[in-house]
Amino acid sequence: MKFCSKCGNEINEDQTFCTTCGNDLKNESTNETPPIEENTSTENSLPKEEYQRIKDTNPAQKHTTSNNKLTKKSKISIIVAAVLIVAIIAIVQVGNYLSDPKKLEARFQKDVVTNNVSDLANTLYCNDTRLTVDNKNVVPLLDYFKKNPSYYDEVIENLNNDALSPKDLSNINISSSNTLTLTNIGKKFLIFPNYKINVKPSFVDITTTVKDVNFSLNNTQIGKSDTDKSTKEFGPYIPGTYLILANYKGKYVTLNHPYQVDLIKTSNGTATLSVFEDMNYLNISSDYPDAKIFVNSKDTNVKVSDATNFGPVDTSSKIYATTVIGGKTLKSEEQSTTSGETDINISFQDAINAQTDVQAQLDDVKSQLNDLLQNYASGLTAAINANDFSLVSPYLTYGSKLYTQQQANVPGSHAGGDYESLVSANITDFNISDDSQSGTINTSETYNFVSIDGTSINKSYSHVYKFQYNGASSGYQFTNRQ
């Protein structure tokens, strides 16, 4: 197909001139459509309406005009596209730089060295939604790093390896021994990987033998045991070292004890702790079933006969009982339980033996005091009759009140002229100190008085004597008389 080189009109192969514009086609050999040459001669040689019709219907002319318009629009489009491409490239580069896992690992190290708990908390993540990662909760981990630098070096080495090939959150092995793992947790701004250091949550299983033991972790109440011989799980916590305080207040004992727990060196993220292992319930028996039980010197108001499954008490508890035997209140031997012990027998045999020994000792003291009274009463009458104070002075403590009184009374009584003799002297009551070194006796004494004219009369007296033991003479002496 051929076209006129002047007007672009389609022509036949054998035409020698253009029937539209009259162009000479003898020398035209191209099949391409030549551009329309807008010259004055053509425009002037044709009517204006005909020329405009030819111009409007000329495909080559239309094509040229259209290309000129697209070029202008393309300039703006190209500029906008270039700006967008540059911006996208810049954003991608900045995003890749900011999301570089190596930068996160370096930031973590800096936060640890500078104690920046706020930023450290922002670098960490935990996929257990029960664990809040905040400024307060990361302190135990930071403290652990400070106290265990070798462990910190181990963590950094693991994070450096993770930075070369970050783990995907869904592929983290929960049984891994690593407490911290550099992890891809999703996308940032829809396109960039979002890296965080994932924290493996830690738990603690607390076992106790009794219920109602309260637990606090780092001074924060976390719960209590619900039943006897139970194990209860608490957590999750950020790995670190924690102080767990166990408190128990029961009928007979009140206990509290701190326990330190390392949640870094755990088995599968769970530490185990046993508290108050020595607490137990007891079955108490005795040959005196009505004896009352005391724990740590406190009356429990429980008789031995009712002390089945008694407690709980611990191995530090001091247990004894009291009962009345022969009018005397006796105390049994004091007992302490051993861990795991469930049966104890309270015996009063030692108390009975001691009571027998005490009674024997008291009987001996009473016998000595009775001899003292007899010797004193007869010695006093002999001293008065002979006007010789030395006959009574061995039975008196030297320098005591009674010693001074009798030293003055003997000569005066002798001057009265009566002859005195002892009829009887008996102890009606006595009290002695726990160390048997002093005490008092009550007496009933009768004396016979014979006057110069031979008249005889008996007179009776009741006295209270104070006495004390004289080590030098290895015996008792009187110090006062009322």
Side-chain angles (χ1 to χ4, degrees):
M1 181 179 294
K2 294 177 62 177
F3 297 91
C4 175
S5 61
K6 293 292 185 180
C7 67
N9 183 45
E10 183 179 351
I11 57 178
N12 295 326
E13 293 291 340
D14 55 352
Q15 283 183 247
T16 59
F17 65 92
C18 177
T19 58
T20 300
C21 65
N23 182 31
D24 186 359
L25 301 177
K26 293 179 181 180
N27 297 323
E28 295 289 338
S29 60
T30 178
N31 290 330
E32 295 180 358
T33 303
I36 299 174
E37 294 183 4
E38 295 184 15
N39 53 57
T40 306
S41 59
T42 304
E43 184 178 354
N44 293 335
S45 63
L46 294 175
K48 183 177 182 180
E49 293 79 2
E50 183 64 19
Y51 177 80
Q52 187 64 40
R53 182 187 66 79
I54 295 171
K55 183 178 180 180
D56 292 341
T57 57
N58 189 333
Q61 185 66 30
K62 284 185 178 182
H63 179 70
T64 302
T65 304
S66 176
N67 283 343
N68 289 339
K69 290 182 180 180
L70 287 176
T71 300
K72 293 177 182 179
K73 292 181 181 180
S74 295
K75 289 180 181 180
I76 298 175
S77 300
I78 291 172
I79 292 172
V80 172
V83 171
L84 290 175
I85 291 173
V86 171
I88 290 173
I89 293 174
I91 291 173
V92 170
Q93 289 179 340
V94 171
N96 289 334
Y97 174 78
L98 294 178
S99 61
D100 186 351
K102 293 181 180 179
K103 287 187 62 62
L104 179 65
E105 188 273 333
R107 175 183 169 189
F108 172 83
Q109 288 194 60
K110 181 179 179 181
D111 291 340
V112 172
V113 172
T114 60
N115 291 316
N116 190 343
V117 293
S118 177
D119 193 64
L120 180 63
N122 290 329
T123 67
L124 302 179
Y125 175 83
C126 183
N127 57 357
D128 190 325
T129 57
R130 295 172 296 173
L131 177 58
T132 302
V133 181
D134 57 21
N135 299 4
K136 180 180 178 182
N137 289 347
V138 300
V139 171
L141 178 63
L142 189 60
D143 289 343
Y144 196 91
F145 288 152
K146 300 299 182 183
K147 296 176 181 178
N148 299 273
S150 61
Y151 175 75
Y152 173 67
D153 292 341
E154 180 183 333
V155 168
I156 295 303
E157 182 179 355
N158 291 334
L159 292 179
N160 284 331
N161 293 333
D162 291 342
L164 300 176
S165 180
K167 306 291 189 299
D168 188 80
L169 184 62
S170 60
N171 293 331
I172 294 180
N173 188 351
I174 60 174
S175 63
S176 171
S177 59
N178 294 346
T179 55
L180 299 174
T181 305
L182 202 154
T183 311
N184 182 0
I185 66 170
K187 297 295 184 181
K188 185 186 298 184
F189 304 120
L190 302 178
I191 57 174
F192 303 112
N194 186 15
Y195 295 111
K196 290 282 187 179
I197 297 176
N198 186 67
V199 180
K200 182 180 179 180
S202 296
F203 301 83
V204 56
D205 287 345
I206 304 179
T207 301
T208 184
T209 57
V210 296
K211 68 176 181 178
D212 294 331
V213 178
N214 290 286
F215 307 108
S216 61
L217 183 141
N218 287 1
N219 297 320
T220 300
Q221 189 77 20
I222 59 174
K224 67 177 183 178
S225 58
D226 299 324
T227 61
D228 294 334
K229 297 180 180 179
S230 64
T231 298
K232 192 171 184 179
E233 182 183 81
F234 296 93
Y237 306 109
I238 289 179
T241 300
Y242 293 84
L243 186 68
I244 293 180
L245 182 65
N247 289 284
Y248 175 77
K249 185 175 183 180
K251 288 182 179 180
Y252 313 120
V253 294
T254 298
L255 303 173
N256 61 79
H257 193 280
Y259 299 86
Q260 194 173 60
V261 180
D262 188 336
L263 297 187
I264 296 287
K265 299 176 181 178
T266 62
S267 175
N268 293 328
T270 302
T272 58
L273 174 65
S274 294
V275 304
F276 299 146
E277 293 178 295
D278 58 350
M279 289 188 70
N280 216 343
Y281 291 89
L282 300 174
N283 297 315
I284 302 176
S285 60
S286 174
D287 46 354
Y288 293 90
D290 287 336
K292 290 196 303 181
I293 298 173
F294 288 74
V295 176
N296 297 331
S297 300
K298 294 181 179 179
D299 188 352
T300 65
N301 293 316
V302 176
K303 293 182 178 181
V304 170
S305 57
D306 299 324
T308 301
N309 204 37
F310 176 87
V313 295
D314 69 327
T315 54
S316 67
S317 300
K318 306 299 183 183
I319 304 171
Y320 65 87
T322 63
T323 190
V324 177
I325 300 176
K328 298 289 185 179
T329 299
L330 301 185
K331 176 185 172 181
S332 73
E333 78 275 20
E334 199 170 68
Q335 295 193 33
S336 297
T337 63
T338 58
S339 182
E341 186 177 15
T342 58
D343 299 283
I344 64 171
N345 179 267
I346 293 180
S347 173
F348 285 90
Q349 191 58 52
D350 289 344
I352 294 172
N353 293 339
Q355 179 66 17
T356 301
D357 293 342
V358 169
Q359 188 61 49
Q361 183 180 6
L362 290 177
D363 290 343
D364 180 61
V365 171
K366 187 175 181 180
S367 176
Q368 293 183 54
L369 292 174
N370 186 67
D371 291 343
L372 173 63
L373 177 61
Q374 299 298 325
N375 292 333
Y376 164 78
S378 60
L380 179 60
T381 58
I384 292 173
N385 292 335
N387 192 23
D388 186 358
F389 174 68
S390 66
L391 297 176
V392 72
S393 62
Y395 313 112
L396 304 174
T397 299
Y398 179 80
S400 66
K401 184 176 181 180
L402 185 57
Y403 183 95
T404 304
Q405 287 175 346
Q406 297 296 24
Q407 191 177 33
N409 290 342
V410 167
S413 298
H414 175 74
D418 291 340
Y419 177 83
E420 299 181 20
S421 62
L422 175 65
V423 176
S424 64
N426 298 300
I427 297 175
T428 59
D429 194 12
F430 83 103
N431 293 286
I432 189 169
S433 61
D434 291 339
D435 60 2
S436 301
Q437 297 297 300
S438 61
T440 62
I441 61 171
N442 294 42
T443 67
S444 173
E445 304 169 39
T446 302
Y447 295 90
N448 178 255
F449 295 90
V450 179
S451 62
I452 295 176
D453 61 6
T455 304
S456 177
I457 185 174
N458 288 344
K459 293 182 179 181
S460 297
Y461 304 90
S462 295
H463 292 129
V464 177
Y465 292 91
K466 290 184 178 180
F467 64 88
Q468 67 180 27
Y469 187 79
N470 187 337
S473 62
S474 300
Y476 292 98
Q477 294 175 324
F478 291 131
T479 61
N480 195 10
R481 183 186 70 177
Q482 294 178 348

